[in-house]
Amino acid sequence: MATRYWAVSLPVAQGSSASALWNRLQESISKNAFDTPLYRFNIPNLRVGTLDLLLALSDDLLKSNNFIEGVSHKIRRQIEDLERVSGVMSSSLTVDGVPVDSYLTRFVWDEAKYPTMSPLREIVDGIHVQIAKIEDDLKVRIAEYSNVRSQLNAINRKQAGSLAVRDLSNLVKPQDIITSEHLTTLLAVVPKYSQKDWLSSYEGLTSYVVPRSSKKLHEDNEYALYTVTLFNRDADNFRTKARERNFQIRDFEYNPETQETRKQELEKLTQDQETLKSSLLQWCYTSYGEVFSSWMHFCAVRVFTESILRYGLPPSFLSVVLSPSVKSEKKVRSILEGLCDNLNSTYWKIEEDGGGMGGFAGDADSHPYVSFTINLV
């Protein structure tokens, strides 16, 4: 699929027709730039209004196009991220079931949604408002999904970190802990290289340690987790002595209810994340189609507006979309220029060389015909 197209309109000379110009363009492209896909861009006769209104509208077209294109790209990137995270095969993005590139190259104006008798400003503003609403909705949905994902990641980090920092609740069983009126069990995090030191010294760190009470529960790349049982009154002293020997005593209280609550919280967050991810992905598929359809109608208005300002009234121009390769761009530009009125072509060359008018609606390129780029990605 091509990802970059030119939207172009060429003036139809007096005594000629759009069909004749289309045939000449097809013939020239096939002979000199045969690798360039070329399609008619069918724009209906829209309501022109006054010259002042057209000029005012043209000033806003580039900014509005950048906004709409930006929202389109945001949604596309979000789809790609969600598909990658979900392990879903990338699907062809569509507008009402039609692939987006086909929708563009076979564009048909939606009269029911955008009546051609509506003022151009009304159509453009309506599209802008619609896209802004979709962008706001996207931000809310992404924030909701990201919040749940952040909570889940925080829990997973606690469970995936080293024994010095991770949550120990899923590593300790009820039978590992002794808690009575006089006795308590502490959990010691011991560097792997110090395990022999721990086993040979823990009983003598203080006077009230239960002999042979230490048991290894878990080991990771850096540390080992041991239990040690001693008298309650000696616990603080043992912590101090252990710290002096580079053994870390982790605060831990075994509570079956807390364990179950954490487990349920993790399961709920995991389920919520999957639900929100699936919902967001489906919303993005649908919304991308809506944005893309609106964008193409906006591009049609832009071609129409700039063509009237460039060629005058009554409307007499051929509008097309084409996708030249990088190596064919100069050839295609030359072909398009050759199909314009010679005087018009010379005029625009002079203006370009002299730093004159430039393109309408702020386009950087100056050509003797209307031209702007549609970047799908």
Side-chain angles (χ1 to χ4, degrees), residues 162-188:
S162 74
L163 289 168
V165 296
R166 68 172 289 179
D167 179 16
L168 302 177
S169 58
N170 62 335
L171 302 178
V172 183
K173 298 180 175 59
Q175 58 268 30
D176 298 325
I177 301 295
I178 295 174
T179 303
S180 68
E181 183 181 352
H182 300 292
L183 295 176
T184 187
T185 297
L186 302 179
L187 296 176

Side-chain angles (χ1 to χ4, degrees), residues 75 78-88 138 140-149 152-153 156 268-286:
I75 299 176
Q78 188 63 55
I79 288 172
E80 291 170 351
D81 289 345
L82 291 170
E83 288 179 338
R84 184 170 57 252
V85 170
S86 305
V88 176
L138 175 66
V140 170
R141 289 172 179 269
I142 289 177
E144 187 179 14
Y145 168 64
S146 298
N147 180 48
V148 171
R149 189 173 60 172
L152 194 56
N153 287 341
N156 289 332
K268 183 178 185 304
L269 283 172
T270 302
Q271 184 176 357
D272 287 348
Q273 178 183 244
E274 289 304 310
T275 300
L276 288 171
K277 182 167 60 178
S278 176
S279 174
L280 178 56
L281 184 57
Q282 292 304 317
W283 180 90
C284 284
Y285 285 143
T286 302

Side-chain angles (χ1 to χ4, degrees), residues 71-336:
V71 174
S72 167
H73 293 174
K74 280 183 191 176
I75 299 176
R76 177 184 277 269
R77 285 194 298 269
Q78 188 63 55
I79 288 172
E80 291 170 351
D81 289 345
L82 291 170
E83 288 179 338
R84 184 170 57 252
V85 170
S86 305
V88 176
M89 288 287 291
S90 294
S91 57
S92 176
L93 298 177
T94 62
V95 180
D96 295 331
V98 179
V100 292
D101 54 332
S102 297
Y103 183 87
L104 167 57
T105 56
R106 303 171 190 170
F107 177 75
V108 177
W109 183 271
D110 187 344
E111 174 68 23
K113 194 171 184 180
Y114 306 104
T116 51
M117 289 309 295
S118 298
L120 295 180
R121 170 64 72 179
E122 183 179 306
I123 294 174
V124 169
D125 287 350
I127 290 173
H128 196 102
V129 168
Q130 178 199 5
I131 303 303
K133 184 177 182 304
I134 289 175
E135 184 188 36
D136 289 342
D137 201 1
L138 175 66
K139 290 177 181 176
V140 170
R141 289 172 179 269
I142 289 177
E144 187 179 14
Y145 168 64
S146 298
N147 180 48
V148 171
R149 189 173 60 172
S150 296
Q151 292 180 58
L152 194 56
N153 287 341
I155 293 175
N156 289 332
R157 277 197 300 272
K158 286 182 179 179
Q159 294 184 339
S162 74
L163 289 168
V165 296
R166 68 172 289 179
D167 179 16
L168 302 177
S169 58
N170 62 335
L171 302 178
V172 183
K173 298 180 175 59
Q175 58 268 30
D176 298 325
I177 301 295
I178 295 174
T179 303
S180 68
E181 183 181 352
H182 300 292
L183 295 176
T184 187
T185 297
L186 302 179
L187 296 176
V189 176
V190 179
K192 285 183 71 172
Y193 61 81
S194 301
Q195 291 184 77
K196 287 185 179 179
D197 184 23
W198 164 262
L199 292 172
S200 64
S201 65
Y202 78 89
E203 293 179 1
L205 289 180
T206 60
S207 302
Y208 299 98
V209 177
V210 176
R212 296 185 297 279
S213 63
S214 184
K215 182 177 77 170
K216 183 160 72 172
L217 302 183
H218 190 75
E219 185 176 303
D220 62 19
N221 293 331
E222 300 177 71
Y223 300 98
L225 181 66
Y226 284 88
T227 61
V228 59
T229 302
L230 62 155
F231 280 77
N232 282 322
R233 63 184 181 180
D234 208 26
D236 289 341
N237 188 29
F238 187 89
R239 285 188 177 91
T240 302
K241 296 296 183 180
R243 186 165 57 248
E244 291 173 357
R245 299 290 293 269
N246 201 29
F247 305 138
Q248 177 188 354
I249 304 302
R250 291 285 307 273
D251 290 329
F252 181 82
E253 181 180 349
Y254 187 84
N255 187 322
E257 292 181 2
T258 301
Q259 300 288 82
E260 183 60 28
T261 299
R262 286 177 178 172
K263 181 181 176 183
Q264 291 176 358
E265 180 186 7
L266 180 61
E267 290 175 351
K268 183 178 185 304
L269 283 172
T270 302
Q271 184 176 357
D272 287 348
Q273 178 183 244
E274 289 304 310
T275 300
L276 288 171
K277 182 167 60 178
S278 176
S279 174
L280 178 56
L281 184 57
Q282 292 304 317
W283 180 90
C284 284
Y285 285 143
T286 302
S287 297
Y288 184 83
E290 292 178 12
V291 170
F292 193 85
S293 172
S294 298
W295 185 19
M296 292 308 102
H297 283 80
F298 174 89
C299 287
V301 172
R302 187 178 177 191
V303 170
F304 182 84
T305 301
E306 296 187 17
S307 297
I308 297 301
L309 289 173
R310 182 72 64 91
Y311 312 133
L313 289 171
S316 182
F317 59 89
L318 169 70
S319 53
V320 300
V321 290
L322 60 168
S323 181
S325 62
V326 174
K327 66 179 182 179
S328 296
E329 282 189 10
K330 287 186 178 179
K331 289 181 182 177
V332 174
R333 289 291 185 199
S334 178
I335 291 168
L336 294 172

